[in-house]
Amino acid sequence: MSVRTGPLQADAGPAVRPAPAPPRRRRVDWSAWRAFALLTAPLLVGLLLFKYVAMGWGLLLSFSNARGTIALGDWAGLENYRTLFGDPRFRTSLSMIVVFTLVIVPLTFAIALGLAVLVNRLRRGRALFRTTFFLPAAVSYVVASLIWKMSLFSGVPSSAANSLAALFGQEPTAWIATVDPPLYWIVLITVRLWLQIGLYMILFLAGMQEIPGELYEAARVDGAAGEWRLFRHITFPLLRNTSVAVTLLLVIAAFQAFDEFYNLLSTGLAGAPGPDGRPPLVYLYDVSLVQQDYGLGSAGAFVVTLLIVLVTLVQGRLVGFGRGDGE
Amino acid sequence: MNDDRLPRRRAGRIGRARIGSYLAAVVFAVPFLLPFYLLLRNSLMTQTELGALEWRWWPERIDLTGFTDAFANSSAPLGRALLNSALVAIVSAPVSTLLASMAGYAVARIRVAAARPVFLLVVATMMVPGAATFVPTFVVVGSLGGVNTLWGLIVPGLFNALAVLLFRGFYLRFPQEIEDAGRIDGLGHLGVYLRLALPNSAGLLAALGVLSFIEHWNSFLWPLVIGQDPALWTVQVAMSTNLTAQAINLPALFASAVVSVLPLALVFLVAQRWIVRGIMATGIKG
């Protein structure tokens, strides 16, 4: 630090005057307020405008008849909500995203944790493997969708998946176009796994760094060795907070799925009989930006937002998120 | 390091387990690296070769027409799109990170009555993440005249509540003694933040800055929604437009993907140390 402290500076400013008597503490510290306001105002104004005002306006708009306009139109009451829940495309999108979440969250969690344990055990080359598993985090969903759709899982016989299948005597498969059985799910799940495992592996690795090595030593001395037992009794319980954070982030990310669905399953976007795999955000994009029905879109946005908040709160309550958060 | 002190029998078992770990790591590395390889390979192949019947490890001859086609395509101009993406990411990353650091410091260290409510106001928005609110945000930005404008593309993405939370966690751990020393030297709240706290959080700033850069470079939904004019397309939107087009020039599409990934992968390779260290510094362990 370049800060010098010492007796010479002891009387340099008002900061070191004897503490004021208790009643004077009620005087407002204007310099603190000024600094606080200056530091928080830019962010607060942005959040108020683009989150709070936006949500409020969206809520109003969801009760309006707003086709082709973003101005508040005629009052429509619950009409939009009735249309919304009457639309089977919206209802399937909700059940679709729930199933998707139930599959992708545990899968990502398990693989990310497994890889973290694995990488953590490596002595040499740890950085190399960490980088390998983390690198896809730098790739966009659009690029990954391109690789998955047009190369890895494309229908041509020379695609990676079909070449591999050919080794087992399988005919070339149109992976994305096959709805029954839903082979397109393999494409959807693997692309997201590839993109997001790395970041969560890093979070787990960070958590493992905080576990004192003596715990393992003690357990070994006690004869509780065996990698699996060490993991079950030490590593996993002590990663509890990381696990909770990872699960929450994964669920929220799953509910916001858009990019890969839009780019992989574009045939199903505008209501054409493509694979029945439209998540809510793709439905909302279609309703708002393609059909320009902002009233209906706002109603949908409100329902989806409410759903995410609910899931987050329930999950937080279940696992006790923030319990150990000091403040 | 401590393994030396373990009985030999056990050390041997651990040694074998370690070889197993390396084998497993190599096996797992293959599916993580294969897509990168395919991306590169396909950008160097011809359209006919890509539709071939048989798997090829390497293009018959390196063909660069994909790259020239990608830049020559006039319906989704790649050069312009790269420029737009660069602009968005280069502006957004430092600004959003700095805003989060300022607010994070204020709610962590400045004791005013508003600190708690402001913090809650910020954290509450975290439960309603950006993508779910794109319709209302579009409505607000639209009514402010932000559709098809650069500010409409950039400004709504500058306010990151999660980063505020991480910075707050970091600044809560910032030693009180350093702050006191600064106060004795006559620094006010802003002075302590600017001269002491901010420089000390350089690691976290770098980590979140890089993550934010990646996030903004890769972001797709908002640029797709707000930049309907091709002049405002980011590289992600331009690629997506080509991916969902009727007639696809595959080598050109893979080439533009390579061009879009390469700068980011380089930044990432250089900066991932900071990311990892930064994540550890936030005390995300909870």
Side-chain angles (χ1 to χ4, degrees):
Chain A
M1 293 309 99
S2 59
V3 179
R4 292 184 302 140
T5 56
L8 277 179
Q9 260 121 14
D11 57 353
V16 287
R17 279 193 194 137
R24 292 189 56 198
R25 267 185 60 222
R26 293 184 56 198
R27 274 191 50 192
V28 178
D29 182 353
W30 287 112
S31 77
W33 273 96
R34 220 170 26 241
F36 186 82
L38 272 172
L39 288 175
T40 53
L43 184 99
L44 272 185
V45 169
L47 285 182
L48 283 177
L49 190 57
F50 297 113
K51 294 281 182 191
Y52 287 98
V53 171
M55 293 297 291
W57 194 330
L59 192 58
L60 279 179
L61 209 58
S62 75
F63 296 113
S64 317
N65 202 339
R67 286 169 199 274
T69 170
I70 50 173
L72 294 176
D74 339 322
W75 186 256
L78 291 173
E79 187 56 40
N80 285 322
Y81 289 91
R82 242 174 267 132
T83 315
L84 190 67
F85 284 103
D87 188 347
R89 289 168 57 217
F90 183 67
R91 292 201 307 264
T92 41
S93 83
L94 288 185
S95 47
M96 190 272 145
I97 204 64
V98 171
V99 176
F100 180 72
T101 305
L102 289 176
V103 175
I104 196 74
V105 172
L107 261 182
T108 312
F109 186 99
I111 301 178
L113 180 58
L115 284 181
V117 171
L118 187 64
V119 169
N120 206 35
R121 284 164 55 93
L122 304 176
R123 253 231 201 119
R124 288 153 181 277
R126 184 189 291 184
L128 179 73
F129 282 103
R130 192 187 63 201
T131 305
T132 304
F133 299 133
F134 195 18
L135 194 57
V139 179
S140 75
Y141 274 90
V142 180
V143 169
S145 299
L146 164 68
I147 303 172
W148 257 247
K149 184 179 186 176
M150 292 302 178
S151 186
L152 206 47
F153 284 99
S154 88
V156 298
S158 63
S159 75
N162 279 336
S163 306
L164 193 67
L167 293 180
F168 299 96
Q170 294 285 317
E171 291 289 303
T173 310
W175 296 89
I176 293 172
T178 309
V179 182
D180 189 24
L183 292 181
Y184 70 100
W185 271 74
I186 297 179
V187 186
L188 288 173
I189 297 290
T190 48
V191 75
R192 185 167 271 252
L193 283 176
W194 186 68
L195 284 169
Q196 72 178 8
I197 277 175
L199 182 63
Y200 295 100
M201 178 198 71
I202 295 292
L203 293 186
F204 279 125
L205 274 173
M208 286 177 190
Q209 298 300 308
E210 308 246 347
I211 302 177
E214 302 91 67
L215 279 178
Y216 292 102
E217 294 307 316
R220 287 211 176 91
V221 171
D222 286 351
E227 298 293 333
W228 171 243
R229 295 190 62 186
L230 290 180
F231 174 78
R232 238 190 66 188
H233 294 294
I234 299 177
T235 315
F236 192 63
L238 289 179
L239 281 178
R240 187 176 170 283
N241 288 322
T242 311
S243 301
V244 171
V246 165
T247 312
L248 272 174
L249 292 172
L250 278 174
V251 169
I252 293 175
F255 269 94
Q256 296 194 85
F258 176 84
D259 298 11
E260 76 267 46
F261 289 84
Y262 180 93
N263 288 295
L264 286 170
L265 309 176
S266 47
T267 46
L269 192 65
D276 197 6
R278 251 175 272 102
L281 259 47
V282 176
Y283 175 89
L284 291 185
Y285 176 85
D286 189 23
V287 164
S288 314
L289 275 302
V290 181
Q291 298 171 29
Q292 309 254 316
D293 190 339
Y294 297 102
L296 187 59
S298 297
F302 184 66
V303 170
V304 172
T305 303
L306 208 64
L307 193 69
I308 295 183
V309 171
L310 260 173
V311 168
T312 312
L313 285 178
V314 167
Q315 214 187 350
R317 186 47 68 84
L318 281 180
V319 292
F321 185 54
R323 207 185 276 155
D325 180 30
E327 242 195 291
Chain B
M1 330 155 239
N2 289 323
D3 280 16
D4 307 334
R5 295 173 56 202
L6 290 169
R8 179 167 293 175
R9 187 179 55 83
R10 190 159 290 160
R13 206 172 67 196
I14 288 168
R16 228 174 300 141
R18 198 142 273 138
I19 292 174
S21 302
Y22 278 103
L23 273 176
V26 170
V27 169
F28 277 118
V30 173
F32 278 83
L33 292 175
L34 182 70
F36 287 107
Y37 170 70
L38 289 175
L39 174 63
L40 196 63
R41 185 200 71 166
N42 292 0
S43 72
L44 300 171
M45 279 181 161
T46 60
Q47 184 98 22
T48 8
E49 223 177 343
L50 279 170
L53 289 177
E54 264 181 41
W55 168 266
R56 282 222 182 107
W57 278 107
W58 196 249
E60 203 153 56
R61 70 182 179 84
I62 303 241
D63 187 293
L64 291 176
T65 48
F67 287 88
T68 48
D69 284 0
F71 281 98
N73 184 343
S74 56
S75 66
L78 182 62
R80 182 64 186 264
L82 284 167
L83 209 66
N84 287 337
S85 290
L87 190 66
V88 171
I90 288 172
V91 172
S92 302
V95 174
S96 70
T97 311
L98 191 67
L99 289 183
S101 152
M102 286 160 50
Y105 180 81
V107 295
R109 303 297 295 220
I110 302 182
R111 285 183 200 88
V112 294
R116 188 80 188 158
V118 164
F119 177 62
L120 290 179
L121 210 64
V122 173
V123 173
T125 65
M126 239 177 72
M127 284 203 300
V128 189
T133 54
F134 79 90
V135 182
T137 312
F138 175 81
V139 169
V140 164
V141 175
S143 63
L144 296 174
V147 176
N148 282 326
T149 64
L150 260 178
W151 79 258
L153 184 59
I154 295 175
V155 173
L158 296 179
F159 314 101
N160 185 345
L162 177 61
V164 175
L165 191 73
L166 297 179
F167 273 114
R168 172 182 170 270
F170 180 87
Y171 289 128
L172 278 176
R173 294 172 161 194
F174 186 70
Q176 181 68 40
E177 296 81 48
I178 298 181
E179 185 184 333
D180 291 345
R183 301 308 292 266
I184 290 168
D185 272 5
L187 293 177
H189 285 285
L190 281 178
V192 171
Y193 169 67
L194 284 173
R195 301 267 198 86
L196 303 175
L198 190 63
N200 266 294
S201 55
L204 188 56
L205 279 167
L208 293 181
V210 171
L211 282 179
S212 166
F213 187 90
I214 293 172
E215 185 194 323
H216 283 103
W217 179 276
N218 284 341
S219 106
F220 172 64
L221 175 55
W222 184 250
L224 176 75
V225 165
I226 205 69
Q228 293 151 358
D229 176 359
L232 267 179
W233 280 352
T234 62
V235 67
Q236 311 299 339
V237 177
M239 275 191 293
S240 168
T241 308
N242 283 327
L243 180 59
T244 49
Q246 289 298 323
I248 304 181
N249 181 343
L250 268 184
L253 200 45
F254 278 103
S256 40
V258 169
V259 173
S260 84
V261 166
L262 214 57
L264 209 55
L266 291 179
V267 169
F268 186 83
L269 284 177
V270 174
Q272 62 141 332
R273 265 167 215 282
W274 305 336
I275 300 177
V276 173
R277 247 184 263 143
I279 287 175
M280 291 176 179
T282 60
I284 249 199
K285 56 100 193 160

